[in-house]
Amino acid sequence: MMLFSGLSGRILASALLLVITGCATTGRITNTEITEYRPGIPGFSSAGKEDRRSGDVLFFLSFSGGGTRAAALSYGVLEELRNTEFTLDGRTRSLLDEVDTISSVSGGSFTAAYYGLFGDRIFDDYEDVFLRRNVQKTLINGLLNPLNWIRMLTSVFNRTELAINYYDKNIFRGGSFADIAARGGPNIEINATDLGIGERFTFTQARFNVLCSDLSDFSVARAVAASSAVPVAFAPIALQNYSGCDYREPDWIKTARANEDDNPRLEALLDSFDSYLDKEQRPYIHLVDGGITDNLGIRALYDRVTLLGGAANAARLLGQTPGIIVVLVVNAQTHAKKPMDLSSAAPSSAKVVSAVSGAQLGRYNIESIALIEESLQQWAAELSTTGQPVIPYFIKLDFESIGDEKTRHIFNNMATSFSLPGEEVDDLIEAGHRLLQASPEYQALLSQIRGKER
């Protein structure tokens, strides 16, 4: 995301000075310490959610990174899920009611967090609150405010804190993770990257337990800012790794250790987990954009099932017996043509960095999708019985699925920023509807669910 493009002369010089100064400031610590360990396992459903879901469908939804482009596309998908209704036991439900978990990264985290906090209110005001706001301009204007220069030079206030203040006041209204839990909707898993070890960091109490910290009073705005903190443009967000809560390793981690020799991915997960137990070497954790380690937000699902000892053991621990498993991936990744290929001239450093990072994300996305698609089939087979087969549905939405070349080209050339023209926002929301409607897997899912209507 090129936050400072278009600035010139002294304005650009001032902005660059603040970039350098902002990166040097000490991160503000806001996560609170707990003195007693809170046992539990990472789950799928939130308390109170069973009142509105049928219980037969285990539904995992992921929103990718991509600035406002990703936020608008995922919002369109939420609308389509809300609009899709079926009847069960004489009660009309929406498919959105069946969603258990929304896992998100970067731009997609704005939509996930807003829905987690406010539920169906998102369909009334989210477009005005975020999608159609020029958030990028507002942040730049704040950066160029001389009063903020003084704050950045004399305190822990930096560009990231400026963004957090805006998100907290104007988007998330001071909401915390306790507010998400109180609403009783789906689990909202906001993903960032732990810069120190280069691994995904998910804002869950299971993860905060290892930090001897309390997620419930942690700011949603701060978590979303971490999930979207593009390196260099924004300073990392710091958490303190506390000690003294008498942390005891849960049984599911002990079971995972017994199986790690046969699974290199599991071994890597446990290594990253263990790093937080070294309080002397890692007293602070620095978080940046989650897209660095998983720009689709779907690795959280694989990691959870793996840590819990496979699908059957996870279902037993969580008390769930689904007949249908749905993984819906909303991928706002673009595939724009590279102008550098039209000339023999050496591309600029910025273009080289952009191309390299884009290639890495693209390759990793492909591997993640293949991993989840293959694993989903294995999980369904593992959970199936002779009398009760479990049916898996893997639904992948992206711009490459758009049949018309001209339309596909338009979407693939939309910017990754926190500001898009109104007509592009309209197009992205509509694309969320149409891509989902056009998915054969989605239509097959609807046929099965509606075949059970009673």
Side-chain angles (χ1 to χ4, degrees):
M1 179 179 61
M2 299 303 293
L3 246 170
F4 305 106
S5 61
L7 301 180
S8 60
R10 285 178 296 176
I11 294 179
L12 178 59
S14 299
L16 290 175
L17 174 63
L18 289 174
V19 168
I20 296 171
T21 304
C23 285
T25 57
T26 302
R28 183 184 175 201
I29 302 298
T30 64
N31 63 306
T32 57
E33 185 176 10
I34 56 176
T35 57
E36 185 176 353
Y37 166 62
R38 300 174 182 179
I41 60 175
F44 292 91
S45 299
S46 298
K49 186 172 170 17
E50 295 301 324
D51 292 338
R52 64 187 180 85
R53 63 185 299 272
S54 66
D56 189 48
V57 180
L58 185 59
F59 202 136
F60 183 92
L61 180 59
S62 74
F63 295 156
S64 79
T68 299
R69 184 184 67 246
L73 183 66
S74 57
Y75 173 71
V77 171
L78 283 184
E79 275 196 328
E80 183 62 26
L81 292 173
R82 187 273 309 263
N83 295 344
T84 304
E85 296 182 337
F86 64 99
T87 302
L88 192 62
D89 296 329
R91 179 181 174 185
T92 299
R93 308 170 186 267
S94 79
L95 202 54
L96 182 55
D97 291 335
E98 297 298 309
V99 174
D100 295 276
T101 294
I102 303 178
S103 177
S104 63
V105 180
S106 198
S109 290
F110 286 86
T111 303
Y114 199 89
Y115 181 66
L117 281 170
F118 305 117
D120 285 352
R121 172 177 150 183
I122 193 174
F123 305 116
D124 297 326
D125 61 9
Y126 183 61
E127 291 185 49
D128 293 331
V129 169
F130 179 68
L131 294 181
R132 301 185 188 279
R133 292 282 182 93
N134 192 336
V135 176
Q136 185 161 302
K137 180 178 179 181
T138 300
L139 295 180
I140 291 175
N141 286 343
L143 185 64
L144 298 177
N145 184 337
L147 294 178
N148 286 331
W149 298 356
I150 298 173
R151 296 177 69 187
M152 290 182 182
L153 289 169
T154 60
S155 70
V156 297
F157 188 81
N158 56 26
R159 298 179 317 285
T160 302
E161 294 298 325
L162 179 71
I164 291 170
N165 287 352
Y166 177 83
Y167 301 160
D168 192 54
K169 179 180 179 181
N170 298 286
I171 302 174
F172 301 115
R173 307 290 198 276
S176 68
F177 281 88
D179 296 317
I180 291 179
R183 195 182 73 78
N187 287 329
I188 304 297
E189 299 189 346
I190 297 171
N191 297 284
T193 295
D194 182 337
L195 193 59
I197 59 174
E199 293 287 348
R200 180 180 52 79
F201 182 98
T202 305
F203 285 87
T204 63
Q205 186 57 52
R207 182 60 61 98
F208 266 52
N209 276 341
V210 194
L211 306 181
C212 289
S213 188
D214 185 8
L215 179 67
S216 64
D217 61 1
F218 196 79
S219 161
V220 171
R222 187 169 291 274
V224 172
S227 181
S228 56
V230 178
V232 179
F234 290 102
I237 287 178
L239 302 176
Q240 186 162 347
N241 189 6
Y242 297 104
S243 59
C245 67
D246 191 27
Y247 175 78
R248 296 182 299 279
E249 190 165 84
D251 290 341
W252 52 273
I253 285 290
K254 294 177 182 177
T255 301
R257 292 196 190 283
N259 300 321
E260 67 176 308
D261 291 341
D262 300 324
N263 189 333
R265 286 194 177 100
L266 177 57
E267 183 178 359
L269 286 173
L270 291 172
D271 285 346
S272 65
F273 182 89
D274 289 343
S275 74
Y276 299 107
L277 301 176
D278 190 346
K279 309 294 181 176
E280 291 186 3
Q281 292 299 316
R282 303 203 71 201
Y284 298 99
I285 309 302
H286 299 278
L287 304 177
V288 294
D289 192 335
I292 296 172
T293 46
D294 176 16
N295 200 44
L296 296 176
I298 57 174
R299 289 274 177 166
L301 174 61
Y302 176 84
D303 292 352
R304 177 186 305 145
V305 174
T306 301
L307 283 170
L308 293 182
N313 199 47
R316 180 184 62 81
L317 290 171
L318 299 168
Q320 296 172 321
T321 55
I324 299 171
I325 305 178
V326 182
V327 176
L328 171 53
V329 180
V330 184
N331 181 10
Q333 180 185 6
T334 56
H335 298 274
K337 292 183 178 179
K338 303 294 189 297
M340 71 174 71
D341 295 337
L342 300 175
S343 171
S344 62
S348 66
S349 298
K351 289 181 179 179
V352 170
V353 171
S354 177
V356 170
S357 61
Q360 291 173 331
L361 287 178
R363 293 284 184 179
Y364 197 58
N365 284 352
I366 292 171
E367 201 274 340
S368 294
I369 288 171
L371 174 66
I372 295 298
E373 192 167 13
E374 178 182 351
S375 298
L376 182 58
Q377 297 293 327
Q378 295 173 351
W379 298 337
E382 187 178 343
L383 291 171
S384 294
T385 63
T386 303
Q388 179 61 56
V390 175
I391 311 301
Y393 292 93
F394 184 76
I395 304 168
K396 178 171 65 73
L397 308 181
D398 56 36
F399 298 138
E400 295 307 295
S401 303
I402 298 174
D404 181 73
E405 183 178 354
K406 182 178 179 181
T407 304
R408 186 169 63 250
H409 174 80
I410 291 173
F411 282 105
N412 274 323
N413 283 275
M414 288 184 178
T416 302
S417 70
F418 284 151
S419 172
L420 290 178
E423 59 271 18
E424 289 191 2
V425 172
D426 291 335
D427 291 343
L428 286 160
I429 294 173
E430 182 63 20
H433 286 269
R434 291 187 178 276
L435 285 171
L436 191 53
Q437 292 167 359
S439 167
E441 293 82 4
Y442 182 67
Q443 292 304 320
L445 169 66
L446 292 183
S447 295
Q448 182 175 359
I449 289 178
R450 287 175 172 161
K452 296 184 177 184
E453 287 185 324
R454 58 182 187 272

